[in-house]
């Protein structure tokens, strides 16, 4: 059995790895307040810090290897940022739609894909009537749905531009117990559980084929850092340490054990034929 001192040591280590340092604890966090959610200005440096950048190479590989088996030959990526995730599918896709609703990101995406007729770049803020050249067989949303108040309508809009039998792949932050200052700062309306995400998916007329929490150890670390420790933003230097140690261990464990909860909820939803 662990002593009180050992437990404090473990908690402190997780907090140090993930957070920018403990702050005075405030009231329990809840859903984002009513009113329009304003996402922070992008800019290359700020955006890369938000996505992990070079500090989180293992995590980005984890994302890709989880999503890739569910991607077909044509893809709409919602919230592409600067395009680093979708570029990993280069050579595999016949048609890619990269999208964002930040003017800086849209401009950078257009520069990145200039002259490539197989790539379409659009300015997209969901819910919306999506205008693209043709339907896709896969939609990918990496940490996007949690920003949208009317998530059901957003999913319906995406289903409308997905081929019958196609997939919508959803990666969202998990569990309101982990909701804290970081979520508020980046404009998260909510964090999902498998049950709440399934409810939105089914209400949108989609059929969940894969639905599970992932990144169990990351969830524990996030709880200590954000809810118990009051960390407001991950420290890039310490994220790099976390990426090299905790992420590989998490991936190994989750190959053999289904986690009961996690930092993320992952869903693959099928569009009915």
């Amino acid at each position: 059995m662990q002593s009180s001192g050992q437990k404090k040591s473990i908690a402190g280590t997780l907090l140090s790895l993930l957070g920018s340092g403990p702050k005075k604890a405030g009231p329990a966090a809840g859903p984002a307040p009513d009113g329009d959610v304003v996402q922070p200005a992008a800019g290359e440096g700020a955006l890369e810090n938000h996505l992990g950048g070079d500090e989180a190479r293992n995590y980005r590989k984890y994302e890709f290897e989880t999503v890739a088996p569910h991607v077909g030959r044509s893809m709409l990526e919602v919230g592409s940022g600067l395009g680093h995730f979708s570029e990993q599918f280069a050579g595999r896709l016949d048609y890619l739609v990269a999208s964002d609703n930040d003017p800086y990101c849209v401009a950078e995406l257009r520069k990145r894909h200039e002259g490539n007729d197989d790539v379409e770049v659009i300015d997209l803020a969901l819910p919306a009537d999506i205008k693209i050249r043709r339907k896709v067989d896969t939609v990918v949303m990496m940490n996007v749905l949690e920003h949208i108040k009317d998530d059901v309508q957003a999913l319906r809009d995406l289903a409308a531009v997905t081929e019958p039998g196609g997939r919508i792949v959803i990666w969202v932050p998990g569990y309101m117990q982990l909701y804290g200052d970081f979520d508020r700062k980046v404009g998260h309306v909510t964090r999902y559980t498998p049950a709440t995400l399934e409810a939105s998916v089914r209400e949108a007329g989609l059929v969940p084929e894969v639905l599970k929490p992932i990144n169990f150890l990351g969830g524990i670390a996030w709880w200590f850092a954000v809810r118990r420790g009051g960390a407001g933003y991950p420290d890039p230097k310490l994220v790099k340490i976390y990426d090299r140690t905790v992420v590989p261990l998490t991936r190994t464990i989750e190959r053999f054990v289904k986690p009961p909860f996690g930092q993320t909820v992952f869903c693959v939803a099928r569009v009915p034929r």
Side-chain angles (χ1 to χ4, degrees):
M1 181 178 293
Q2 293 175 330
S3 69
S4 175
Q6 286 175 317
K7 289 179 180 177
K8 289 180 180 178
S9 176
I10 293 171
T13 300
L14 289 167
L15 171 61
S16 297
L17 283 174
L18 190 65
S20 55
K23 299 177 182 178
K24 184 177 180 181
D34 290 338
D36 292 337
V37 174
V38 179
Q39 296 186 38
E44 186 166 6
L47 182 65
E48 283 305 288
N49 285 337
H50 175 57
L51 296 181
D54 288 339
E55 295 85 18
R57 291 181 181 179
N58 283 327
Y59 186 76
R60 292 172 72 173
K61 183 179 179 182
Y62 177 34
E63 289 180 315
F64 175 75
E65 292 181 353
T66 303
V67 171
H70 306 285
V71 175
R73 299 292 300 181
S74 57
M75 182 175 85
L76 162 61
E77 184 187 17
V78 183
S80 299
L82 300 180
H84 293 103
F85 184 78
S86 56
E87 76 176 356
Q88 297 175 95
F89 293 91
R92 170 175 172 170
L93 298 172
D94 298 325
Y95 173 52
L96 167 67
V97 183
S99 73
D100 209 282
N101 68 336
D102 184 281
Y104 176 86
C105 295
V106 173
E108 291 299 304
L109 288 168
R110 286 178 174 147
K111 289 178 187 177
R112 177 186 287 265
H113 297 294
E114 187 176 7
N116 187 344
D117 294 335
D118 295 329
V119 180
E120 184 176 2
V121 176
I122 63 172
D123 187 333
L124 177 61
L126 293 168
D129 182 15
I130 304 169
K131 303 294 186 182
I132 54 179
R133 291 201 299 259
R134 62 182 177 89
K135 289 189 174 185
V136 295
D137 60 40
T138 312
V139 172
V140 173
M141 308 177 74
M142 303 297 292
N143 294 314
V144 173
L145 196 63
E146 68 276 9
H147 291 273
I148 303 169
K149 286 193 287 187
D150 193 348
D151 57 352
V152 172
Q153 185 58 50
L155 290 170
R156 287 173 178 156
D157 293 336
L158 293 170
V161 295
T162 305
E163 296 172 357
R167 298 182 177 102
I168 298 178
V169 181
I170 307 165
W171 181 292
V172 288
Y175 299 87
M176 285 302 292
Q177 293 91 331
L178 304 181
Y179 193 103
D181 286 343
F182 175 81
D183 297 275
R184 280 187 284 268
K185 288 176 181 176
V186 299
H188 290 175
V189 175
T190 190
R191 297 179 72 99
Y192 289 88
T193 65
T196 59
L197 184 55
E198 180 179 7
S200 294
V201 164
R202 290 193 181 278
E203 188 176 347
L206 306 173
V207 180
E209 293 190 333
V210 178
L211 183 61
K212 60 183 179 180
I214 58 176
N215 196 9
F216 174 66
L217 293 180
I220 295 173
W222 193 261
W223 186 82
F224 275 119
V226 176
R227 293 308 309 275
R228 292 295 299 272
Y233 206 89
D235 183 319
K237 293 180 181 178
L238 296 174
V239 166
K240 190 172 184 178
I241 299 172
Y242 172 85
D243 185 67
R244 290 180 175 180
T245 56
V246 178
V247 172
L249 179 59
T250 296
R251 295 189 66 186
T252 299
I253 292 172
E254 291 184 0
R255 289 190 183 103
F256 304 99
V257 179
K258 181 179 179 180
F261 86 105
Q263 187 182 3
T264 297
V265 176
F266 178 67
C267 177
V268 180
R270 179 77 68 174
V271 177
R273 293 184 182 277

